[in-house]
Amino acid sequence: MSEPGAGPADPSGAGLAGRRPTRPRHLGWLRSRRLLLALFFLAVAVVAAAPGVAELPSKFIADGSLPGYAEPTAGDHLQSTYRFWLVGHQLEQGRAPWKDPYSFQPLVPPQTVLLGWPWGIGFWPLDAAFGPVVAWNLLLLLSIALAGLATYGWLVGYGLARGPALVGGLAFAIAPYRLAQSGGHLIGWAAVFVPAALWAFERARATERPVARHLWGALSALSLLSVTMSGQVNLALAALPFCLAYAALRWRPAATLWLAAGTAGAIALGLVIRRTIIDGSIAAGGRSLQQVELFQSDWIDLISRDRREGIEQFAYVGWLLPVAAVVGLVVLGRRRPLLALLLLLSTAIPLLLAVGTNLPGYADLREVVSPLRFSRVPGRLLPVANLALAALAAIALGHVLTRLRLAGRRRLVALGIAVALVGADLLVFPLGANDAAPASAAYRELADAPAGRILDLPYFTPGTHWGSPYDFYAMQTPRERPGGYSSVAPVAAYGPAPSLRRLNCGIWLPGDQRLLDSLGVAEVLFHEGPYAQARIPTAWFGWHGLQLAGYRTRTPGDGPVWLFRRGTGLPALAAPVPEPEREQLVPCDGWYGYGTTLPQAGLWVHGEGAFSLSLSAPALATTTVWLDGARVEELRLAASTPLRLELEGDRWHSIVLDTATSGSALPFTLRVTALALPTPAGEVPAQG
């Protein structure tokens, strides 16, 4: 009795069909077929990347979430592009391509950064030829095509007929989660290495030539190692055991040992990453359940075609594909029960973990499986489920075609229908076009300035993606800066964050200029776009705060970036953004409603006379109050502590609540429980 998908059974059990795939005799036809296969998956990539692909030359294909307000739209795609760019830039300078000498300087030594392997190697010449935007877009399309080709190669190598394997490759290439995570986060790109490792394993397993066997085996090991080398240690938690178990079930000494070596190397590298990068970072203690709850999926997200919340929660796996996978599971279970069990577990476990605390016992599981504690996005394992579902659906299709005994034109029509159905089921078009600003006049001016570090305003703490546009500008004019964007930035990189973040709000306290001098900051760049993207309402104050501190700009007035220096003797300029309404309290960034967790929380209020508010925080908290740059009071906070300030002059007044807590009281939330604004006394020019 033959297996689904191809010819008669073979006692050797070489593949799903019971026989090894054979090469066509006519080599020219073979090459033509390979070309058609590549063109098919490239066409799939172009369609799947719509509508973002329509603006390929000028905008990033990414999540298309926000306008850039004349600057690059913030997102992980900018961080990834920057890491790609570092590879070639560092090699040109004769330096290690895995080091970032610009971010978080001089707070920490040059950081070891991942994400550059192996895509940065291809990015280098593409960037030189077309610029970073086109280079990113072309590599993104290539990653989608490679996902389909690698899956096709694996399934054919296993013994599935080419038609069903093609449909399986299509299902993985356009898998919604994998595709959505390719628009910025590189987990979608790294997922390509999983079927690539299995494809190379099957080639190593099938060949009779010793040299070819070891070359293919080495490629399978490198592919698996690349999952970790590209920084996707969370994906590796599912990819490594899946591939190793598969290789054990498909045992061939050389092929299996090569893949096992790749697994061991990936685990060892993961441990090195843990000790050298993660342990010294803000994520060293793992992620809290509260963070997980922010990024976890709901059960409905597994079957919802709409992105109900953020991109991290989007976990749609299709409606038709899971049904086909169940059929494939039954078919495979009759012949290969252990392999069927492996594919079932590889589908079910990532899907169950993706819903996080919605799964009973998830919190306890995190304590038992400690690596899960370091991911705030429990859906990071989903690409393995996408691959398993694609394989099972392809098996089901092969079984149906065999049972129907379709051949020739009828078989092609059936395959065309299957392609259309899979496309209709999975294509949700999660990729849009994100703005990429042209070269900035301010950065062109910076390129001719004397050496020195820069500070970008608004400043963002290292793990905040709103600061990613600054990575884009760093590719134009590389300069050391105390800012940067990394979710595993060293703790030391956060040191001056409270003071630097306060400057976004235009509130300068004694010692702030000394801090900038100690950091070697020679120029400050003021950005309109990130203020607008992050919805920080204090750009007007930030501009005037720079000028009151003695900074001036000579950058042309059309913005959206201005280069400020001290001591130039230039006149002060009106802010390029409107003044906020004077009748309202204006909070600095970091306030959510009337609460904040920032140790230095700023406010602006307009008017003169009495201003009062009531504060609450943990009992072991002390708040120093600064009014208009002067220290005026120190409060020991309890459940409700009144604060009354006398505002002199009908103008804008800055208030800073600098709160210190004992270790036992962290984390804390400072809340304004009641307030009374001063009565406006007439319209007069505002300060600054």
Side-chain angles (χ1 to χ4, degrees), residues 71-83:
E71 295 199 56
T73 301
D76 285 340
H77 63 289
L78 295 179
Q79 180 200 37
S80 299
T81 303
Y82 174 69
R83 298 289 176 85

Side-chain angles (χ1 to χ4, degrees), residues 96-170:
W98 53 84
K99 290 292 184 180
D100 179 358
Y102 302 114
S103 302
F104 313 125
Q105 299 303 306
L107 303 170
V108 299
Q111 291 301 286
T112 299
V113 295
L114 304 173
L115 307 185
W117 171 263
W119 308 102
I121 299 171
F123 185 87
W124 188 6
L126 289 174
D127 178 35
F130 306 110
V133 177
V134 174
W136 163 269
N137 291 340
L138 292 178
L139 284 176
L140 173 57
L141 294 176
L142 179 62
S143 73
I144 298 172
L146 288 177
L149 285 167
T151 305
Y152 168 87
W154 164 45
L155 294 175
V156 168
Y158 185 72
L160 199 62
R162 292 184 177 88
L166 182 77
V167 175
L170 171 67

Side-chain angles (χ1 to χ4, degrees), residues 190-525:
V192 173
F193 300 125
V194 183
L198 299 177
W199 169 64
F201 167 80
E202 287 294 346
R203 293 300 298 265
R205 186 180 183 277
T207 185
E208 301 294 341
R209 294 175 294 170
V211 174
R213 182 184 305 125
H214 290 294
L215 287 176
W216 284 110
L219 180 60
S220 72
L222 180 61
S223 297
L224 204 54
L225 185 61
S226 293
V227 176
T228 305
M229 289 175 66
S230 60
Q232 306 310 313
V233 291
N234 294 315
L235 175 61
L237 294 178
L240 298 183
F242 170 62
C243 291
L244 184 61
Y246 178 88
L249 293 176
R250 299 278 292 160
W251 169 267
R252 285 288 188 279
T256 301
L257 290 176
W258 268 113
L259 197 138
T263 303
I267 293 172
L269 180 59
L271 293 174
V272 170
I273 291 172
R274 165 75 184 274
R275 299 302 179 192
T276 60
I277 297 178
I278 297 177
D279 277 358
S281 75
I282 197 72
R287 305 292 189 173
S288 67
L289 273 177
Q290 289 76 16
Q291 289 175 304
V292 171
E293 289 169 351
L294 287 175
F295 295 101
Q296 69 190 17
S297 303
D298 289 326
W299 293 105
I300 191 65
D301 290 314
L302 302 179
I303 58 172
S304 173
R305 293 175 62 90
D306 298 323
R307 192 193 306 175
R308 301 183 319 111
E309 296 185 53
I311 196 170
E312 305 290 6
Q313 295 90 341
F314 182 59
Y316 174 64
V317 294
W319 298 341
L320 174 63
L321 194 74
V323 174
V326 171
V327 175
L329 189 66
V330 174
V331 171
L332 184 62
R334 295 172 181 171
R335 286 283 192 172
R336 304 280 191 272
L338 291 180
L339 184 57
L341 178 62
L342 174 62
L343 292 177
L344 173 62
L345 293 176
S346 299
T347 301
I349 292 176
L351 289 175
L352 292 173
L353 292 179
V355 301
T357 58
N358 293 308
L359 177 70
Y362 178 82
D364 296 330
L365 182 63
R366 288 177 84 235
E367 298 303 317
V368 176
V369 185
S370 60
L372 293 178
R373 298 202 303 268
F374 291 89
S375 176
R376 62 181 179 179
V377 185
R380 290 281 188 246
L381 313 184
L382 276 175
V384 173
N386 295 148
L387 183 61
L389 283 169
L392 288 170
I395 291 170
L397 178 60
H399 175 72
V400 170
L401 294 178
T402 300
R403 292 294 299 270
L404 294 178
R405 301 182 183 276
L406 296 178
R409 184 174 298 177
R410 291 183 176 181
R411 186 179 181 89
L412 288 176
V413 170
L415 288 173
I417 293 173
V419 166
L421 289 174
V422 169
D425 188 37
L426 298 182
L427 279 174
V428 293
F429 304 108
L431 300 176
N434 282 16
D435 290 341
S440 164
Y443 280 89
R444 286 196 298 268
E445 183 182 352
L446 178 65
D448 298 327
R453 298 190 179 98
I454 61 172
L455 174 67
D456 293 288
L457 290 185
Y459 167 88
F460 297 97
T461 49
T464 306
H465 82 284
W466 298 117
S468 57
Y470 309 146
D471 284 342
F472 178 83
Y473 291 116
M475 293 185 287
Q476 298 179 21
T477 309
R479 285 291 180 108
E480 292 185 2
R481 59 197 193 279
Y485 173 38
S486 173
S487 60
V488 289
V491 173
Y494 287 78
S499 297
L500 296 180
R501 191 169 179 178
R502 177 169 34 75
L503 302 186
N504 299 346
C505 204
I507 301 177
W508 292 61
L509 298 182
D512 286 344
Q513 186 57 55
R514 289 195 301 273
L515 171 63
L516 295 186
D517 292 340
S518 70
L519 295 174
V521 172
E523 285 92 10
V524 177
L525 290 128

